[in-house]
Amino acid sequence: MTKSVWIRGLKTAIVLAAIFGVWEYVSRAEMVNQFLFPPPTQVFTDTVAAFTDPPYRSGDGLLFQIGKSVYRAVAGWLIGVVVGVVFGVVVEWWNKPGSVAISLLEFLRPIPVILFLPVLVLVVGIGDLSRIIVIAWASFIFVAINTIFGVRTAKQSLLPDVVRSFGGTETLVLRRAVLGLAVPQIVAGARQAVGVALVLMVASELILSTDGLGWFILFMRRSLFPAEMYGAILMVGILGLIFGTLFQRLQKRILAPYLD
Amino acid sequence: MRGALRFPGFTAVAVILATWVAATATGFVNSEFIPPPHEVLRAGAEDWTNLGAATVESMWTALVGYAVGFGAAVVVGMAVGRYASVDSWVSGPLDFFRAIPAVAVVPMALLVLADSFLVGAFAVAWGCFFLAVINVIAGVKHIPDTLQDAARSFGAGEVKVLRKVGIPSLLPYFLSSLRQNVSVALIVIVVADMVVGLSGLGFYILRTQSNALFGRMYASIVLIAIIGYVAFRLLEVAQRRLFPWWSETSLT
Amino acid sequence: MVGDLVDMTTPKTSSSPAIHLKGVTKTYARRGQDEDLKIIDSLDLSFRPGELVTIVGPSGCGKSTILKMIDGLTPLTGGSITFEPSSPKPRIGFVFQDYSNALAPWKTVQKNVEFGLEIEGVASRTERAEAAARYIEMVGLEGFEKAYPRELSGGMQQRVQLARVLAFEPDVLLMDEPFGSLDAQIRRVMQEEIRRILESLDRTVLFVTHDIEESLYLGDRTVVLDHRPARVLTDFEQGERTSSYEEFVASNEFRTRYNQVWSLLQRRGDHA
């Protein structure tokens, strides 16, 4: 890591420490309602305690809820990425002008999928599947659109013709030239899908649900345990940062040959 | 195909409607859960006053949050993009809080603010702010340096440079960020309505679902979809009309 | 100093001011290093009114910085730059190399050409439009008034920038490698055209380039600068020229000059 990255990290740490420090002071000095804004140290200790020993009488702790959420997010994201790539490649590779599939995708893109959660819950039940479907659908949209653009650009490049001139079949053109060229765009789509998957993970657990991180946040607010609520909200942010970093690592490895 | 060219969603709507009608008519789906389109239309028209009131309330709340979030993003983003010293202190913490999705702060807003309008507006503002601020920062960094120098060479002071070069080159970034924010604002307001559980479109969906009034529920879903689609396309047209010179490098 | 020394006493009739650089020094702080990078070290140079001077030197020798300092876009570290007469404050026009970033993408050609007058605060629309029309014609862009910069080729964009500066009616024209990013053919056309335009203007023009051929063809006087820190290697005037580009490049005079400048830069470049 370079020096400037360290300095940046240090500055970030200083600002965050200052924010939490002020919050701690303001709360301890009772300048704000201490019940609604508990000091960060209390948020920390209560949240850590809630990992295994939640403030409600029985049931699983925060750690279990996080696991539940992560499972849904990862499963939904994976399904969305796989289906999105397959769909995008198939649709664009054999694309005819005015293709219905692409205009369908364009039309469905701005419609918030979370609207359909209440119906999904009715159809497939209140468990994991309804949440996974919602996450998968949103991830699918992002990955499919990016894949289509990636394949479209790849089709216009010279590499497909190079493969053909070497006597390659169309399947070989698709496998060796088009897919390879489309990878950076596909990865960009998968990256957007990471963010979307996390948002929908929480959103879907806030509605008609009985477990997961989103449910925990809402349940803590309803049972009036603000410290645990803040802790769980911060956990969502931390999860986001972890996923973001992990994906960045993966992206670097995948895209290494594409960068100079 | 000519019609499809003029209205890009035309074929898509036709396909969706045809599938919907076919699925319900053949009994492929349970028409109690998913009534045919005309039933949905009828149900929506029947409950027009409630549906209309819920829509107006949600849209007003979302609009206020959207404006506040975007306004704050412009101020913060311009400072961060313009001054490298501010950037190095602020962008890290911004990334930290940006990782917390707007829907996750809804319960917190509900705890602290305890008012359905404020909760919705706050959550929408949170979501729009963090999305827009990135766009604004990118925009500020893309203000052409040479053009700023040219303006200075013609005798412009810093205020004039901002007015004649900065703002005009930022405007398309603003608009494209407003466009991206439409779907965020809609998702957040619907989720907030559902969580608060008092009023608005999100609550309308939940209530009709639990009362098995599926026609009305689908009517409200279709309505939100139409609002989102129309707002998105309108801003797209505005972008093309207002900034014909602007070509967005990527559609996604 | 090698080459002919320029006689500064001969006055030339022009409404343009003379420009005097005295002990001009420019250093940049380098990140993580104690010693600053010295780009220009106490440079003395004078330009007479109405003179067309080309300044040639290797890339990164600080040629552009000199122009930016004259225009007040970059502060001096030391020394002074004065105009004679010093009042009224001379109007300075700057043509940037990076034409695609120098034009406003949201303005049509017409509005881009009016940009300088707009900044200056010329309120009358008709006055601005008339000035723009005159110079759009001069640079040969009639018919493209309503086009946006991205619809134009590089050469045409650079013409827009030129018209914009001319419409500002500057006393001094500073041109920073204006053709540096154009391809060879367009460059040739532009060189002939710029010569025609500049001759008709009778303004002090400083034209920076790293192309020796271009500097010899365009300049009444040529200043050759050394690599960092910039010092004057040679400074000479050329006689009256009536020949076309092809004739000029084939002439003995050109070949001698070219070899002289080339060997000077070459020798310095060896241990740079």
PDB file of all heavy atoms in Angstrom, chain C residues 158-183:
ATOM      1  N   GLN C 158      -9.776  23.734 -33.421  1.00  0.00           N
ATOM      2  CA  GLN C 158      -8.712  24.695 -33.166  1.00  0.00           C
ATOM      3  C   GLN C 158      -9.000  26.016 -33.887  1.00  0.00           C
ATOM      4  O   GLN C 158      -8.662  27.076 -33.387  1.00  0.00           O
ATOM      5  CB  GLN C 158      -7.360  24.090 -33.580  1.00  0.00           C
ATOM      6  CG  GLN C 158      -6.145  24.826 -33.044  1.00  0.00           C
ATOM      7  CD  GLN C 158      -6.151  24.962 -31.525  1.00  0.00           C
ATOM      8  OE1 GLN C 158      -6.985  25.671 -30.963  1.00  0.00           O
ATOM      9  NE2 GLN C 158      -5.224  24.320 -30.858  1.00  0.00           N
ATOM     10  N   ARG C 159      -9.651  25.952 -35.047  1.00  0.00           N
ATOM     11  CA  ARG C 159     -10.054  27.179 -35.730  1.00  0.00           C
ATOM     12  C   ARG C 159     -11.055  27.971 -34.885  1.00  0.00           C
ATOM     13  O   ARG C 159     -11.015  29.195 -34.852  1.00  0.00           O
ATOM     14  CB  ARG C 159     -10.721  26.856 -37.075  1.00  0.00           C
ATOM     15  CG  ARG C 159      -9.745  26.498 -38.168  1.00  0.00           C
ATOM     16  CD  ARG C 159     -10.514  25.900 -39.327  1.00  0.00           C
ATOM     17  NE  ARG C 159      -9.624  25.138 -40.188  1.00  0.00           N
ATOM     18  CZ  ARG C 159      -9.093  25.633 -41.307  1.00  0.00           C
ATOM     19  NH1 ARG C 159      -9.393  26.849 -41.683  1.00  0.00           N
ATOM     20  NH2 ARG C 159      -8.281  24.905 -42.018  1.00  0.00           N
ATOM     21  N   VAL C 160     -11.959  27.220 -34.223  1.00  0.00           N
ATOM     22  CA  VAL C 160     -12.938  27.889 -33.356  1.00  0.00           C
ATOM     23  C   VAL C 160     -12.195  28.642 -32.252  1.00  0.00           C
ATOM     24  O   VAL C 160     -12.493  29.804 -31.957  1.00  0.00           O
ATOM     25  CB  VAL C 160     -13.921  26.872 -32.724  1.00  0.00           C
ATOM     26  CG1 VAL C 160     -14.867  27.577 -31.768  1.00  0.00           C
ATOM     27  CG2 VAL C 160     -14.692  26.134 -33.794  1.00  0.00           C
ATOM     28  N   GLN C 161     -11.214  27.972 -31.675  1.00  0.00           N
ATOM     29  CA  GLN C 161     -10.472  28.618 -30.593  1.00  0.00           C
ATOM     30  C   GLN C 161      -9.749  29.870 -31.101  1.00  0.00           C
ATOM     31  O   GLN C 161      -9.705  30.895 -30.424  1.00  0.00           O
ATOM     32  CB  GLN C 161      -9.470  27.633 -29.993  1.00  0.00           C
ATOM     33  CG  GLN C 161      -9.313  27.832 -28.519  1.00  0.00           C
ATOM     34  CD  GLN C 161      -8.025  27.268 -27.953  1.00  0.00           C
ATOM     35  OE1 GLN C 161      -7.496  27.844 -27.036  1.00  0.00           O
ATOM     36  NE2 GLN C 161      -7.531  26.177 -28.466  1.00  0.00           N
ATOM     37  N   LEU C 162      -9.221  29.767 -32.287  1.00  0.00           N
ATOM     38  CA  LEU C 162      -8.522  30.892 -32.880  1.00  0.00           C
ATOM     39  C   LEU C 162      -9.495  32.059 -33.104  1.00  0.00           C
ATOM     40  O   LEU C 162      -9.197  33.207 -32.738  1.00  0.00           O
ATOM     41  CB  LEU C 162      -7.903  30.441 -34.205  1.00  0.00           C
ATOM     42  CG  LEU C 162      -6.903  31.372 -34.851  1.00  0.00           C
ATOM     43  CD1 LEU C 162      -5.730  31.593 -33.910  1.00  0.00           C
ATOM     44  CD2 LEU C 162      -6.406  30.768 -36.169  1.00  0.00           C
ATOM     45  N   ALA C 163     -10.659  31.750 -33.663  1.00  0.00           N
ATOM     46  CA  ALA C 163     -11.658  32.794 -33.915  1.00  0.00           C
ATOM     47  C   ALA C 163     -12.090  33.432 -32.598  1.00  0.00           C
ATOM     48  O   ALA C 163     -12.293  34.640 -32.510  1.00  0.00           O
ATOM     49  CB  ALA C 163     -12.863  32.197 -34.635  1.00  0.00           C
ATOM     50  N   ARG C 164     -12.201  32.618 -31.561  1.00  0.00           N
ATOM     51  CA  ARG C 164     -12.620  33.123 -30.256  1.00  0.00           C
ATOM     52  C   ARG C 164     -11.621  34.159 -29.742  1.00  0.00           C
ATOM     53  O   ARG C 164     -12.009  35.222 -29.246  1.00  0.00           O
ATOM     54  CB  ARG C 164     -12.715  31.955 -29.266  1.00  0.00           C
ATOM     55  CG  ARG C 164     -13.041  32.383 -27.863  1.00  0.00           C
ATOM     56  CD  ARG C 164     -13.276  31.198 -26.965  1.00  0.00           C
ATOM     57  NE  ARG C 164     -12.018  30.602 -26.516  1.00  0.00           N
ATOM     58  CZ  ARG C 164     -11.947  29.537 -25.732  1.00  0.00           C
ATOM     59  NH1 ARG C 164     -13.049  28.942 -25.336  1.00  0.00           N
ATOM     60  NH2 ARG C 164     -10.790  29.067 -25.345  1.00  0.00           N
ATOM     61  N   VAL C 165     -10.356  33.834 -29.884  1.00  0.00           N
ATOM     62  CA  VAL C 165      -9.331  34.756 -29.410  1.00  0.00           C
ATOM     63  C   VAL C 165      -9.272  36.017 -30.281  1.00  0.00           C
ATOM     64  O   VAL C 165      -9.156  37.126 -29.779  1.00  0.00           O
ATOM     65  CB  VAL C 165      -7.969  34.029 -29.369  1.00  0.00           C
ATOM     66  CG1 VAL C 165      -6.843  35.024 -29.344  1.00  0.00           C
ATOM     67  CG2 VAL C 165      -7.899  33.132 -28.157  1.00  0.00           C
ATOM     68  N   LEU C 166      -9.412  35.819 -31.591  1.00  0.00           N
ATOM     69  CA  LEU C 166      -9.354  36.982 -32.485  1.00  0.00           C
ATOM     70  C   LEU C 166     -10.530  37.923 -32.239  1.00  0.00           C
ATOM     71  O   LEU C 166     -10.387  39.144 -32.285  1.00  0.00           O
ATOM     72  CB  LEU C 166      -9.327  36.520 -33.947  1.00  0.00           C
ATOM     73  CG  LEU C 166      -8.064  35.744 -34.368  1.00  0.00           C
ATOM     74  CD1 LEU C 166      -8.203  35.247 -35.795  1.00  0.00           C
ATOM     75  CD2 LEU C 166      -6.815  36.598 -34.214  1.00  0.00           C
ATOM     76  N   ALA C 167     -11.706  37.339 -31.958  1.00  0.00           N
ATOM     77  CA  ALA C 167     -12.888  38.165 -31.716  1.00  0.00           C
ATOM     78  C   ALA C 167     -12.710  39.034 -30.479  1.00  0.00           C
ATOM     79  O   ALA C 167     -13.339  40.084 -30.337  1.00  0.00           O
ATOM     80  CB  ALA C 167     -14.119  37.271 -31.558  1.00  0.00           C
ATOM     81  N   PHE C 168     -11.857  38.596 -29.586  1.00  0.00           N
ATOM     82  CA  PHE C 168     -11.562  39.344 -28.363  1.00  0.00           C
ATOM     83  C   PHE C 168     -10.681  40.548 -28.690  1.00  0.00           C
ATOM     84  O   PHE C 168     -10.519  41.454 -27.876  1.00  0.00           O
ATOM     85  CB  PHE C 168     -10.848  38.390 -27.384  1.00  0.00           C
ATOM     86  CG  PHE C 168     -10.584  38.936 -26.027  1.00  0.00           C
ATOM     87  CD1 PHE C 168     -11.621  39.269 -25.177  1.00  0.00           C
ATOM     88  CD2 PHE C 168      -9.275  39.095 -25.574  1.00  0.00           C
ATOM     89  CE1 PHE C 168     -11.361  39.754 -23.904  1.00  0.00           C
ATOM     90  CE2 PHE C 168      -9.017  39.588 -24.306  1.00  0.00           C
ATOM     91  CZ  PHE C 168     -10.061  39.922 -23.470  1.00  0.00           C
ATOM     92  N   GLU C 169     -10.128  40.582 -29.910  1.00  0.00           N
ATOM     93  CA  GLU C 169      -9.240  41.637 -30.391  1.00  0.00           C
ATOM     94  C   GLU C 169      -8.121  41.949 -29.407  1.00  0.00           C
ATOM     95  O   GLU C 169      -8.059  43.042 -28.841  1.00  0.00           O
ATOM     96  CB  GLU C 169     -10.050  42.897 -30.717  1.00  0.00           C
ATOM     97  CG  GLU C 169     -11.166  42.545 -31.705  1.00  0.00           C
ATOM     98  CD  GLU C 169     -11.620  43.714 -32.550  1.00  0.00           C
ATOM     99  OE1 GLU C 169     -11.740  44.812 -31.987  1.00  0.00           O
ATOM    100  OE2 GLU C 169     -11.846  43.506 -33.758  1.00  0.00           O
ATOM    101  N   PRO C 170      -7.250  40.995 -29.234  1.00  0.00           N
ATOM    102  CA  PRO C 170      -6.180  41.169 -28.248  1.00  0.00           C
ATOM    103  C   PRO C 170      -5.040  42.034 -28.783  1.00  0.00           C
ATOM    104  O   PRO C 170      -4.844  42.128 -29.997  1.00  0.00           O
ATOM    105  CB  PRO C 170      -5.680  39.743 -28.019  1.00  0.00           C
ATOM    106  CG  PRO C 170      -5.952  39.047 -29.299  1.00  0.00           C
ATOM    107  CD  PRO C 170      -7.158  39.691 -29.905  1.00  0.00           C
ATOM    108  N   ASP C 171      -4.297  42.673 -27.868  1.00  0.00           N
ATOM    109  CA  ASP C 171      -3.091  43.406 -28.251  1.00  0.00           C
ATOM    110  C   ASP C 171      -1.930  42.436 -28.389  1.00  0.00           C
ATOM    111  O   ASP C 171      -1.005  42.659 -29.153  1.00  0.00           O
ATOM    112  CB  ASP C 171      -2.743  44.444 -27.178  1.00  0.00           C
ATOM    113  CG  ASP C 171      -3.899  45.403 -26.945  1.00  0.00           C
ATOM    114  OD1 ASP C 171      -4.467  45.879 -27.936  1.00  0.00           O
ATOM    115  OD2 ASP C 171      -4.235  45.642 -25.765  1.00  0.00           O
ATOM    116  N   VAL C 172      -1.981  41.388 -27.579  1.00  0.00           N
ATOM    117  CA  VAL C 172      -0.923  40.381 -27.598  1.00  0.00           C
ATOM    118  C   VAL C 172      -1.583  39.018 -27.781  1.00  0.00           C
ATOM    119  O   VAL C 172      -2.598  38.722 -27.142  1.00  0.00           O
ATOM    120  CB  VAL C 172      -0.133  40.379 -26.268  1.00  0.00           C
ATOM    121  CG1 VAL C 172       0.903  39.277 -26.270  1.00  0.00           C
ATOM    122  CG2 VAL C 172       0.512  41.724 -26.027  1.00  0.00           C
ATOM    123  N   LEU C 173      -1.008  38.212 -28.658  1.00  0.00           N
ATOM    124  CA  LEU C 173      -1.576  36.897 -28.895  1.00  0.00           C
ATOM    125  C   LEU C 173      -0.567  35.837 -28.450  1.00  0.00           C
ATOM    126  O   LEU C 173       0.574  35.823 -28.916  1.00  0.00           O
ATOM    127  CB  LEU C 173      -1.868  36.759 -30.398  1.00  0.00           C
ATOM    128  CG  LEU C 173      -2.730  35.600 -30.864  1.00  0.00           C
ATOM    129  CD1 LEU C 173      -4.042  35.565 -30.111  1.00  0.00           C
ATOM    130  CD2 LEU C 173      -3.004  35.737 -32.360  1.00  0.00           C
ATOM    131  N   LEU C 174      -0.978  34.996 -27.529  1.00  0.00           N
ATOM    132  CA  LEU C 174      -0.096  33.936 -27.039  1.00  0.00           C
ATOM    133  C   LEU C 174      -0.618  32.607 -27.558  1.00  0.00           C
ATOM    134  O   LEU C 174      -1.780  32.271 -27.346  1.00  0.00           O
ATOM    135  CB  LEU C 174      -0.077  33.929 -25.505  1.00  0.00           C
ATOM    136  CG  LEU C 174       0.267  35.256 -24.834  1.00  0.00           C
ATOM    137  CD1 LEU C 174       0.151  35.120 -23.318  1.00  0.00           C
ATOM    138  CD2 LEU C 174       1.658  35.713 -25.219  1.00  0.00           C
ATOM    139  N   MET C 175       0.230  31.870 -28.255  1.00  0.00           N
ATOM    140  CA  MET C 175      -0.231  30.603 -28.822  1.00  0.00           C
ATOM    141  C   MET C 175       0.647  29.480 -28.297  1.00  0.00           C
ATOM    142  O   MET C 175       1.841  29.436 -28.539  1.00  0.00           O
ATOM    143  CB  MET C 175      -0.192  30.671 -30.346  1.00  0.00           C
ATOM    144  CG  MET C 175      -0.939  31.892 -30.866  1.00  0.00           C
ATOM    145  SD  MET C 175      -1.027  31.977 -32.657  1.00  0.00           S
ATOM    146  CE  MET C 175      -2.309  30.818 -32.984  1.00  0.00           C
ATOM    147  N   ASP C 176       0.000  28.565 -27.556  1.00  0.00           N
ATOM    148  CA  ASP C 176       0.738  27.502 -26.883  1.00  0.00           C
ATOM    149  C   ASP C 176       0.615  26.206 -27.681  1.00  0.00           C
ATOM    150  O   ASP C 176      -0.352  25.477 -27.514  1.00  0.00           O
ATOM    151  CB  ASP C 176       0.182  27.336 -25.469  1.00  0.00           C
ATOM    152  CG  ASP C 176       0.939  26.307 -24.673  1.00  0.00           C
ATOM    153  OD1 ASP C 176       2.003  25.862 -25.146  1.00  0.00           O
ATOM    154  OD2 ASP C 176       0.467  25.947 -23.584  1.00  0.00           O
ATOM    155  N   GLU C 177       1.567  25.912 -28.524  1.00  0.00           N
ATOM    156  CA  GLU C 177       1.544  24.709 -29.367  1.00  0.00           C
ATOM    157  C   GLU C 177       0.167  24.491 -29.973  1.00  0.00           C
ATOM    158  O   GLU C 177      -0.413  23.408 -29.800  1.00  0.00           O
ATOM    159  CB  GLU C 177       1.932  23.469 -28.549  1.00  0.00           C
ATOM    160  CG  GLU C 177       3.294  23.586 -27.942  1.00  0.00           C
ATOM    161  CD  GLU C 177       4.137  22.342 -28.156  1.00  0.00           C
ATOM    162  OE1 GLU C 177       3.844  21.588 -29.096  1.00  0.00           O
ATOM    163  OE2 GLU C 177       5.097  22.164 -27.403  1.00  0.00           O
ATOM    164  N   PRO C 178      -0.384  25.466 -30.658  1.00  0.00           N
ATOM    165  CA  PRO C 178      -1.774  25.332 -31.095  1.00  0.00           C
ATOM    166  C   PRO C 178      -2.000  24.158 -32.045  1.00  0.00           C
ATOM    167  O   PRO C 178      -3.100  23.635 -32.121  1.00  0.00           O
ATOM    168  CB  PRO C 178      -2.054  26.657 -31.802  1.00  0.00           C
ATOM    169  CG  PRO C 178      -0.731  27.213 -32.154  1.00  0.00           C
ATOM    170  CD  PRO C 178       0.215  26.731 -31.097  1.00  0.00           C
ATOM    171  N   PHE C 179      -0.934  23.752 -32.753  1.00  0.00           N
ATOM    172  CA  PHE C 179      -1.135  22.665 -33.716  1.00  0.00           C
ATOM    173  C   PHE C 179      -0.500  21.367 -33.231  1.00  0.00           C
ATOM    174  O   PHE C 179      -0.410  20.397 -33.978  1.00  0.00           O
ATOM    175  CB  PHE C 179      -0.550  23.053 -35.081  1.00  0.00           C
ATOM    176  CG  PHE C 179      -0.992  24.410 -35.541  1.00  0.00           C
ATOM    177  CD1 PHE C 179      -0.109  25.288 -36.153  1.00  0.00           C
ATOM    178  CD2 PHE C 179      -2.299  24.829 -35.329  1.00  0.00           C
ATOM    179  CE1 PHE C 179      -0.520  26.540 -36.567  1.00  0.00           C
ATOM    180  CE2 PHE C 179      -2.721  26.093 -35.736  1.00  0.00           C
ATOM    181  CZ  PHE C 179      -1.825  26.951 -36.351  1.00  0.00           C
ATOM    182  N   GLY C 180      -0.065  21.371 -31.965  1.00  0.00           N
ATOM    183  CA  GLY C 180       0.654  20.208 -31.418  1.00  0.00           C
ATOM    184  C   GLY C 180      -0.141  18.925 -31.465  1.00  0.00           C
ATOM    185  O   GLY C 180       0.425  17.847 -31.541  1.00  0.00           O
ATOM    186  N   SER C 181      -1.493  19.027 -31.381  1.00  0.00           N
ATOM    187  CA  SER C 181      -2.293  17.803 -31.334  1.00  0.00           C
ATOM    188  C   SER C 181      -2.939  17.476 -32.674  1.00  0.00           C
ATOM    189  O   SER C 181      -3.761  16.580 -32.750  1.00  0.00           O
ATOM    190  CB  SER C 181      -3.386  17.937 -30.275  1.00  0.00           C
ATOM    191  OG  SER C 181      -2.836  18.396 -29.064  1.00  0.00           O
ATOM    192  N   LEU C 182      -2.581  18.223 -33.713  1.00  0.00           N
ATOM    193  CA  LEU C 182      -3.211  17.967 -35.013  1.00  0.00           C
ATOM    194  C   LEU C 182      -2.320  17.048 -35.845  1.00  0.00           C
ATOM    195  O   LEU C 182      -1.113  16.981 -35.654  1.00  0.00           O
ATOM    196  CB  LEU C 182      -3.409  19.283 -35.765  1.00  0.00           C
ATOM    197  CG  LEU C 182      -4.273  20.327 -35.068  1.00  0.00           C
ATOM    198  CD1 LEU C 182      -4.331  21.592 -35.898  1.00  0.00           C
ATOM    199  CD2 LEU C 182      -5.667  19.788 -34.821  1.00  0.00           C
ATOM    200  N   ASP C 183      -2.931  16.366 -36.801  1.00  0.00           N
ATOM    201  CA  ASP C 183      -2.105  15.491 -37.631  1.00  0.00           C
ATOM    202  C   ASP C 183      -1.351  16.312 -38.672  1.00  0.00           C
ATOM    203  O   ASP C 183      -1.665  17.472 -38.940  1.00  0.00           O
ATOM    204  CB  ASP C 183      -2.940  14.378 -38.263  1.00  0.00           C
ATOM    205  CG  ASP C 183      -3.944  14.913 -39.247  1.00  0.00           C
ATOM    206  OD1 ASP C 183      -3.524  15.475 -40.273  1.00  0.00           O
ATOM    207  OD2 ASP C 183      -5.153  14.768 -38.975  1.00  0.00           O
TER     208      ASP C 183
END
